[in-house]
Amino acid sequence: MGSLVTEPIHSIIVQSYQSEEREEPLNGDGFGVAWYPPDRSEAPGVFKSVSPAWNNQNLLSLSRVIHSRCILAHVRAATPGLPVAELNCHPFAWEQFTFMHNGRINEFQTVKRQLLRRLSDSSYAWVQGTTDSETIFALFVDIYSSLKGESSAEKMATAVLATIGSIESLLKSAGHTAGCDLNLVVCDGKSAVVSRYSTEGTMTPNSLYVHTGHRYSCEAGNTKLLPCEEPTVLVASEPLTPDASWHLIEPNHIVVVNELLETDIRPIAIH
Amino acid sequence: MGSLVTEPIHSIIVQSYQSEEREEPLNGDGFGVAWYPPDRSEAPGVFKSVSPAWNNQNLLSLSRVIHSRCILAHVRAATPGLPVAELNCHPFAWEQFTFMHNGRINEFQTVKRQLLRRLSDSSYAWVQGTTDSETIFALFVDIYSSLKGESSAEKMATAVLATIGSIESLLKSAGHTAGCDLNLVVCDGKSAVVSRYSTEGTMTPNSLYVHTGHRYSCEAGNTKLLPCEEPTVLVASEPLTPDASWHLIEPNHIVVVNELLETDIRPIAIH
Amino acid sequence: MGSLVTEPIHSIIVQSYQSEEREEPLNGDGFGVAWYPPDRSEAPGVFKSVSPAWNNQNLLSLSRVIHSRCILAHVRAATPGLPVAELNCHPFAWEQFTFMHNGRINEFQTVKRQLLRRLSDSSYAWVQGTTDSETIFALFVDIYSSLKGESSAEKMATAVLATIGSIESLLKSAGHTAGCDLNLVVCDGKSAVVSRYSTEGTMTPNSLYVHTGHRYSCEAGNTKLLPCEEPTVLVASEPLTPDASWHLIEPNHIVVVNELLETDIRPIAIH
Amino acid sequence: MGSLVTEPIHSIIVQSYQSEEREEPLNGDGFGVAWYPPDRSEAPGVFKSVSPAWNNQNLLSLSRVIHSRCILAHVRAATPGLPVAELNCHPFAWEQFTFMHNGRINEFQTVKRQLLRRLSDSSYAWVQGTTDSETIFALFVDIYSSLKGESSAEKMATAVLATIGSIESLLKSAGHTAGCDLNLVVCDGKSAVVSRYSTEGTMTPNSLYVHTGHRYSCEAGNTKLLPCEEPTVLVASEPLTPDASWHLIEPNHIVVVNELLETDIRPIAIH
């Protein structure tokens, strides 16, 4: 975990105090990491804290000893008005799934009630915190659970697109024009779907980069993706290294990473 | 504050690890204090923490320097399943009002949705945490705000009774038979209303004591209520001292403390 | 980790609020766990928190996903006057070694200075907190580092005995008669040494139990040590289960667990 | 307290994430406030937290209700290697005195032992944390306690200068050439002494500003010092407002604020 979370030159810990592609460079309102056990079929481990990532000794220790082939990490800049609490930190986990969100539903408080109304009783009861993010995940869980078919990257992609569509339709029907900014990550330990999205005509969504194709390593702060037969995919809000091979995802696209770690980038069409 | 919160022989700090009148003697899941400025017309100060009360250095320091004529203190034993977070600690504060709850709505998750549905939009948006307690307070705020007349102990008493009645009617209409245990405190800095209540036929509510009539002091751990012209009222789940003059409130009664610090104890009639 | 730390009927989490063999049943001033990676030759992972063990979500999550053949866990009841802080929580870790302490050097403040004077410059600079426990560990590190020979259970045992002897001689030369209570655990991931000790004539040391010989499992809260070829050793302040096979260690003895997980119990002779 | 700590345009909360006169703009490793009761003759209240100042709800609440004529506030950027813990947060308090430090003894670990050796037994035992800052305060307490005469600004100034001198002589005798950066604040609730100092030839000390002469107010984020008969003194690492009347203290000077709130700025002569 350390080679991803703590060691890179522009690691997520560095991003916690020196983000480069955001207006507000500080993400010091807590953090979280999730990782899947080696066979990636058990529920993930999650560690969250309201302390800034840059001074957390537990994170350093866990990063040193945890080895995993599927890791998520998040540093939070709390939306003004949403409280800083461990239960509001990302990643959120539900059974096999993990979820993170970079962005916000603008003026969330004005549509929170309608949004929660869409949740099933079980998802409603499952929500523990007060963020738009956790609510979006609960909505995803409901939509995903209603889909037929085996678990797969495609099923997750369908559910992510339907989640974004559901939110947009709700905002529209509520006369809410402030829009939303939905860079979402959903992962089940084997596949993952990541969106870069914001409501048409409102803002440019937060940046999103992908790095693929090689075995990953980190030496003296420089991540390397070495040519080898084992595929590797990194997805991040900002490149972890100065390396030019990070690919910027266009706004309103999703990245689908399947079980073979093949990536497919597709436009998001919301009707 | 120290003479009430930290110094008494059976202070709330002692109650945090050695409660005597509960099955579960431990209240180590955070705590909170609130106090009103000298003229009691400004909004109160609030200090909360998820740390146990018994080892909190800030509480010791605040208790030593804060002087107030109206103080609330709470130690929490989290209802299983409800997260330990600062935003779930009591007292809750809304404008001039403070609120604490000892007890629970049993099987809260099964009626949470219906309960929140009763809230006004503003109260709904105001709720930050996930406890039954904060929701009950939000319901009180809505009911109180709908009443006519000047702020007074009587108006608060009316709203507390209507809050309990509203919850019971909702539980009944939802077919919920697990009942609730509602020892509530509502205070505006000048008056206060405290209930000892549980649903008929379910359980005996948590204990509640009142101590009145004299000036309060605490010397070497013994609280004293000295005869003097300045009236004083203490209300507590358990007596703060071995002193025999603590009066046990009967189940299903409320204590109304008006601006003159006169107390009136009345049965709760829920129809 | 969960089968040891969170699931047993009388797990260390239960001991955090309901210890049975101590005068003071509460250990709510933080906790810590350490675990060695599978091959037990790397430095251990450590997770500590000042929150009570019983309500820590991270501990639950880590316990579920971490698998290790060598685990340490500790719940703290802070010695009055020693601050509650993450850096004062056990286990302490230094390179390959982990350390825990149940007990105290009585009137530690009066001999702290002399004790720290015995430390090497590097150990002195390494100490981060303010507990007697961390200082004792630093003393152990110095003594162990001065011994010749390969790392082994015997070398650790020699160093533990010399550490206890060094403390006793220092207390004696300082005219300190309050004594100490040194249930110590030192572990390098392969071997471990555990003492049950208190100064002659002062008090009975805290309890210490050993459970050996079989493969460990935990089902529905009951730990089981099944007959099998893989040896297992549990050492705990209190039995984790009602099982009668927990063996109480006599006062002033050490338990030496070597790399083959053979245990040897020896009297402590301090001259 | 709010008009000083939370409301100004460039308040210490803003300085916690956007310091302007430091290389490293972030002070997110905890914070603390201290305030003296109205008559300024009792020991101060202290509130500290390891959370960043910018998201602490307790700080907001305390700032709103605490009124004091003598307030200290500090945001911490932990010296690398020194742990983030509440007991390492400033201000430190000892009896009537409060103390804050902006700067560091460079390579503190290499001289920590010699520095602590200079402390009296009682100061040695009093130290709870691991910072250079707390040790410097303990040294001040020893020096101050050894001086004759009534408590006064002059006595405090003498002790501050002697403390700086003692540290420099120790560094010199230890062959330590890395120097120190000692912007110190000592306050007894009535008088205060503040230094801007660094070892000759090493670095420029952190900035220090003084604002004097008028009654203080803060409206819509702008502090004002209105002409009036009640004198007021503000001392801060960075101006709280764009107001031009903040006076930059020269390096190696101290500001002495006496009981009449008269300020005197003097060069520091270390021999």
Side-chain angles (χ1 to χ4, degrees):
Chain A
M1 188 187 288
S3 66
L4 275 169
V5 174
T6 62
E7 297 168 21
I9 287 176
H10 192 60
S11 74
I12 202 157
I13 288 185
V14 174
Q15 291 179 38
S16 74
Y17 58 83
Q18 211 169 61
S19 172
E20 287 179 356
E21 307 200 14
R22 291 165 60 95
E23 273 180 58
E24 170 49 71
L26 192 57
N27 294 280
D29 297 328
F31 70 90
V33 287
W35 63 97
Y36 287 85
D39 72 354
R40 293 187 287 163
S41 61
E42 290 173 59
V46 179
F47 173 62
K48 301 179 178 188
S49 173
V50 293
S51 96
W54 65 76
N55 71 26
N56 192 286
Q57 296 302 310
N58 287 318
L59 178 60
L60 283 181
S61 184
L62 291 173
S63 292
R64 200 165 35 70
V65 299
I66 287 173
H67 299 272
S68 166
R69 295 203 47 216
C70 183
I71 293 174
L72 294 89
H74 187 274
V75 289
R76 184 169 180 238
T79 302
L82 294 186
V84 175
E86 208 166 290
L87 49 81
N88 282 345
C89 290
H90 310 219
F92 299 99
W94 178 81
E95 295 193 354
Q96 184 66 13
F97 294 95
T98 44
F99 176 86
M100 310 195 292
H101 175 208
N102 181 10
R104 64 170 88 169
I105 297 176
N106 290 294
E107 298 170 21
F108 172 56
Q109 293 301 341
T110 64
V111 290
K112 181 179 179 182
R113 191 162 206 159
Q114 288 104 307
L115 203 51
L116 281 164
R117 202 169 281 152
R118 294 218 172 172
L119 299 183
S120 69
D121 283 347
S122 61
S123 281
Y124 187 91
W126 171 83
V127 169
Q128 288 209 312
T130 46
T131 60
D132 49 356
S133 305
E134 193 185 20
T135 309
I136 295 166
F137 184 33
L139 192 59
F140 166 85
V141 165
D142 279 343
I143 289 171
Y144 182 90
S145 302
S146 72
L147 296 180
K148 287 173 183 168
E150 292 291 298
S151 168
S152 71
E154 289 307 321
K155 189 173 169 185
M156 283 162 60
T158 303
V160 166
L161 292 173
T163 301
I164 296 174
S166 176
I167 292 165
E168 285 289 12
S169 77
L170 181 145
L171 296 184
K172 201 170 180 181
S173 69
H176 178 280
T177 57
C180 56
D181 194 8
L182 302 176
N183 286 18
L184 308 177
V185 179
V186 176
C187 179
D188 67 357
K190 293 178 176 167
S191 309
V193 175
V194 188
S195 66
R196 183 180 185 209
Y197 176 81
S198 63
T199 304
E200 195 186 346
T202 55
M203 68 199 93
T204 304
N206 292 317
S207 58
L208 185 71
Y209 290 84
V210 175
H211 202 167
T212 60
H214 321 282
R215 197 172 70 81
Y216 175 84
S217 77
C218 183
E219 284 161 25
N222 285 288
T223 54
K224 289 180 185 168
L225 290 177
L226 306 172
C228 82
E229 286 164 42
E230 190 179 1
T232 301
V233 179
L234 299 180
V235 183
S237 294
E238 303 187 6
L240 302 183
T241 57
D243 189 325
S245 64
W246 288 83
H247 174 69
L248 178 65
I249 302 299
E250 293 293 306
N252 292 11
H253 280 69
I254 60 169
V255 183
V256 180
V257 184
N258 71 15
E259 294 202 21
L260 302 172
L261 300 190
E262 296 162 339
T263 59
D264 189 27
I265 300 171
R266 307 167 188 174
I268 298 172
I270 300 293
H271 312 286
Chain B
M1 189 187 286
S3 67
L4 274 168
V5 174
T6 62
E7 298 169 18
I9 287 176
H10 192 59
S11 74
I12 203 157
I13 288 186
V14 175
Q15 290 179 39
S16 74
Y17 57 82
Q18 211 168 61
S19 172
E20 287 179 356
E21 305 199 17
R22 292 164 59 94
E23 274 180 56
E24 171 50 71
L26 191 58
N27 295 280
D29 297 326
F31 70 90
V33 288
W35 64 98
Y36 287 84
D39 71 355
R40 294 186 287 163
S41 62
E42 290 173 59
V46 179
F47 173 63
K48 301 178 177 189
S49 172
V50 293
S51 97
W54 65 76
N55 71 26
N56 194 287
Q57 297 302 310
N58 287 317
L59 179 61
L60 284 181
S61 184
L62 291 172
S63 292
R64 199 164 37 69
V65 299
I66 287 172
H67 299 272
S68 166
R69 295 203 46 218
C70 182
I71 293 175
L72 295 89
H74 187 273
V75 288
R76 183 167 181 238
T79 302
L82 294 186
V84 175
E86 209 166 288
L87 48 81
N88 282 345
C89 289
H90 309 220
F92 299 98
W94 179 80
E95 294 191 357
Q96 184 67 14
F97 295 95
T98 44
F99 176 86
M100 309 194 293
H101 174 208
N102 181 11
R104 66 169 88 171
I105 297 178
N106 290 294
E107 298 170 23
F108 172 55
Q109 292 301 341
T110 64
V111 291
K112 181 179 179 183
R113 192 163 205 157
Q114 288 103 308
L115 204 52
L116 281 165
R117 203 169 280 151
R118 294 218 171 173
L119 299 183
S120 69
D121 283 347
S122 61
S123 282
Y124 187 90
W126 171 82
V127 169
Q128 288 209 314
T130 46
T131 60
D132 48 357
S133 305
E134 192 185 21
T135 309
I136 295 166
F137 184 33
L139 192 58
F140 165 86
V141 165
D142 278 343
I143 290 171
Y144 183 89
S145 302
S146 71
L147 296 179
K148 288 174 185 168
E150 292 290 299
S151 169
S152 71
E154 289 307 322
K155 189 173 169 186
M156 282 162 60
T158 303
V160 166
L161 292 172
T163 301
I164 295 174
S166 175
I167 292 166
E168 284 290 12
S169 78
L170 181 145
L171 296 184
K172 200 171 182 181
S173 69
H176 179 281
T177 57
C180 57
D181 194 7
L182 302 177
N183 286 19
L184 308 177
V185 179
V186 177
C187 179
D188 68 356
K190 293 177 176 167
S191 310
V193 176
V194 187
S195 66
R196 183 181 183 208
Y197 176 81
S198 62
T199 305
E200 195 187 345
T202 55
M203 68 199 96
T204 305
N206 292 317
S207 58
L208 185 72
Y209 290 84
V210 175
H211 202 166
T212 61
H214 320 282
R215 198 172 71 82
Y216 174 83
S217 76
C218 183
E219 283 161 26
N222 285 290
T223 54
K224 291 182 185 167
L225 290 177
L226 306 172
C228 81
E229 287 166 43
E230 188 179 3
T232 301
V233 180
L234 299 179
V235 183
S237 295
E238 304 187 7
L240 302 183
T241 57
D243 188 323
S245 64
W246 288 83
H247 173 69
L248 178 65
I249 303 299
E250 291 294 306
N252 292 11
H253 279 70
I254 60 169
V255 183
V256 180
V257 185
N258 70 14
E259 294 201 22
L260 303 173
L261 300 189
E262 298 161 339
T263 60
D264 189 28
I265 299 171
R266 308 167 189 173
I268 298 173
I270 301 293
H271 311 287
Chain C
M1 188 187 287
S3 66
L4 274 169
V5 174
T6 61
E7 298 168 20
I9 288 176
H10 192 60
S11 74
I12 202 157
I13 288 185
V14 175
Q15 291 179 37
S16 75
Y17 58 82
Q18 211 170 61
S19 172
E20 287 179 355
E21 306 199 15
R22 292 165 59 94
E23 272 179 60
E24 171 50 70
L26 191 58
N27 295 280
D29 297 328
F31 71 90
V33 287
W35 63 95
Y36 286 85
D39 71 354
R40 293 186 288 163
S41 61
E42 290 174 58
V46 179
F47 173 62
K48 301 178 177 188
S49 172
V50 294
S51 96
W54 67 76
N55 71 26
N56 193 286
Q57 296 302 310
N58 287 318
L59 179 61
L60 284 181
S61 184
L62 291 173
S63 292
R64 200 166 35 69
V65 298
I66 286 173
H67 299 273
S68 166
R69 297 204 45 217
C70 183
I71 293 175
L72 294 90
H74 187 273
V75 289
R76 183 167 180 239
T79 302
L82 294 186
V84 174
E86 209 167 289
L87 49 81
N88 283 344
C89 290
H90 309 220
F92 298 98
W94 179 82
E95 296 193 353
Q96 184 65 13
F97 295 95
T98 44
F99 176 87
M100 310 195 294
H101 175 208
N102 181 10
R104 64 169 86 171
I105 297 177
N106 289 294
E107 298 170 23
F108 171 56
Q109 293 301 342
T110 64
V111 290
K112 181 179 180 182
R113 191 162 208 160
Q114 287 104 307
L115 203 52
L116 281 164
R117 202 169 281 152
R118 295 217 171 175
L119 299 182
S120 69
D121 283 349
S122 61
S123 282
Y124 187 91
W126 171 82
V127 169
Q128 288 208 313
T130 45
T131 59
D132 49 356
S133 305
E134 193 186 21
T135 310
I136 295 166
F137 184 32
L139 192 58
F140 166 84
V141 165
D142 279 342
I143 289 172
Y144 183 88
S145 302
S146 71
L147 296 179
K148 289 174 184 168
E150 293 290 298
S151 168
S152 72
E154 289 307 322
K155 189 173 169 184
M156 284 163 61
T158 303
V160 166
L161 292 173
T163 301
I164 296 174
S166 175
I167 293 165
E168 285 290 12
S169 77
L170 181 145
L171 296 184
K172 200 171 181 180
S173 68
H176 178 282
T177 58
C180 57
D181 195 7
L182 302 176
N183 286 19
L184 308 177
V185 179
V186 177
C187 179
D188 68 356
K190 292 178 177 167
S191 309
V193 176
V194 187
S195 65
R196 184 182 183 206
Y197 176 82
S198 64
T199 304
E200 196 187 344
T202 54
M203 67 198 97
T204 303
N206 292 317
S207 59
L208 185 71
Y209 290 84
V210 175
H211 203 166
T212 61
H214 321 282
R215 197 170 72 81
Y216 174 84
S217 77
C218 184
E219 283 161 25
N222 284 289
T223 54
K224 289 180 185 170
L225 290 178
L226 306 172
C228 83
E229 287 165 41
E230 191 178 0
T232 301
V233 180
L234 299 180
V235 183
S237 295
E238 304 186 6
L240 301 183
T241 58
D243 189 324
S245 65
W246 289 83
H247 173 70
L248 178 65
I249 303 298
E250 292 293 306
N252 293 11
H253 280 69
I254 60 170
V255 183
V256 180
V257 185
N258 70 14
E259 294 201 21
L260 303 172
L261 299 190
E262 297 161 339
T263 60
D264 189 28
I265 300 171
R266 308 168 188 172
I268 297 174
I270 300 293
H271 311 288
Chain D
M1 188 187 288
S3 66
L4 274 169
V5 173
T6 62
E7 297 168 20
I9 288 176
H10 192 60
S11 75
I12 203 158
I13 288 185
V14 175
Q15 291 178 39
S16 75
Y17 57 83
Q18 211 170 59
S19 173
E20 287 179 356
E21 305 200 16
R22 292 165 59 94
E23 273 180 57
E24 170 51 70
L26 191 58
N27 295 280
D29 297 326
F31 70 90
V33 288
W35 64 96
Y36 287 85
D39 71 354
R40 293 186 288 163
S41 62
E42 290 174 59
V46 179
F47 173 61
K48 301 179 178 188
S49 173
V50 294
S51 97
W54 66 75
N55 71 26
N56 194 286
Q57 296 303 309
N58 288 317
L59 178 61
L60 284 181
S61 184
L62 290 173
S63 292
R64 200 165 36 69
V65 298
I66 287 172
H67 299 272
S68 167
R69 295 204 45 219
C70 182
I71 293 174
L72 295 89
H74 186 273
V75 288
R76 183 167 181 238
T79 302
L82 294 186
V84 174
E86 210 165 289
L87 50 81
N88 282 344
C89 290
H90 309 219
F92 299 98
W94 179 80
E95 294 191 357
Q96 185 65 15
F97 296 95
T98 44
F99 176 86
M100 308 195 294
H101 175 208
N102 181 9
R104 65 169 88 171
I105 297 178
N106 290 294
E107 299 169 21
F108 172 55
Q109 293 300 341
T110 64
V111 291
K112 181 179 180 182
R113 190 163 207 158
Q114 287 102 308
L115 203 52
L116 281 165
R117 203 169 281 153
R118 295 218 171 173
L119 299 183
S120 70
D121 283 348
S122 61
S123 282
Y124 187 92
W126 171 82
V127 169
Q128 288 208 312
T130 45
T131 59
D132 48 357
S133 305
E134 193 186 20
T135 310
I136 294 166
F137 184 33
L139 191 59
F140 166 85
V141 164
D142 279 342
I143 289 171
Y144 183 89
S145 302
S146 71
L147 296 179
K148 289 175 184 167
E150 292 290 300
S151 169
S152 72
E154 289 306 322
K155 189 173 167 184
M156 283 162 62
T158 302
V160 166
L161 292 173
T163 301
I164 296 174
S166 175
I167 291 166
E168 284 289 12
S169 77
L170 182 145
L171 296 184
K172 200 172 180 180
S173 69
H176 178 281
T177 57
C180 56
D181 194 7
L182 302 176
N183 287 18
L184 308 177
V185 179
V186 177
C187 179
D188 68 356
K190 292 179 176 167
S191 309
V193 176
V194 188
S195 65
R196 185 182 182 207
Y197 176 81
S198 62
T199 304
E200 196 188 346
T202 56
M203 68 199 97
T204 305
N206 292 317
S207 59
L208 186 71
Y209 291 83
V210 175
H211 203 166
T212 62
H214 320 283
R215 198 171 71 82
Y216 174 85
S217 76
C218 183
E219 283 161 26
N222 285 289
T223 54
K224 290 181 186 169
L225 290 177
L226 307 172
C228 83
E229 286 165 44
E230 189 179 1
T232 302
V233 179
L234 299 180
V235 183
S237 295
E238 305 188 5
L240 301 183
T241 58
D243 188 323
S245 65
W246 288 84
H247 173 69
L248 177 65
I249 302 298
E250 292 294 306
N252 294 9
H253 280 68
I254 61 170
V255 183
V256 180
V257 184
N258 71 15
E259 294 202 21
L260 303 172
L261 299 190
E262 297 161 339
T263 59
D264 189 27
I265 300 172
R266 308 168 188 173
I268 298 173
I270 301 293
H271 311 288

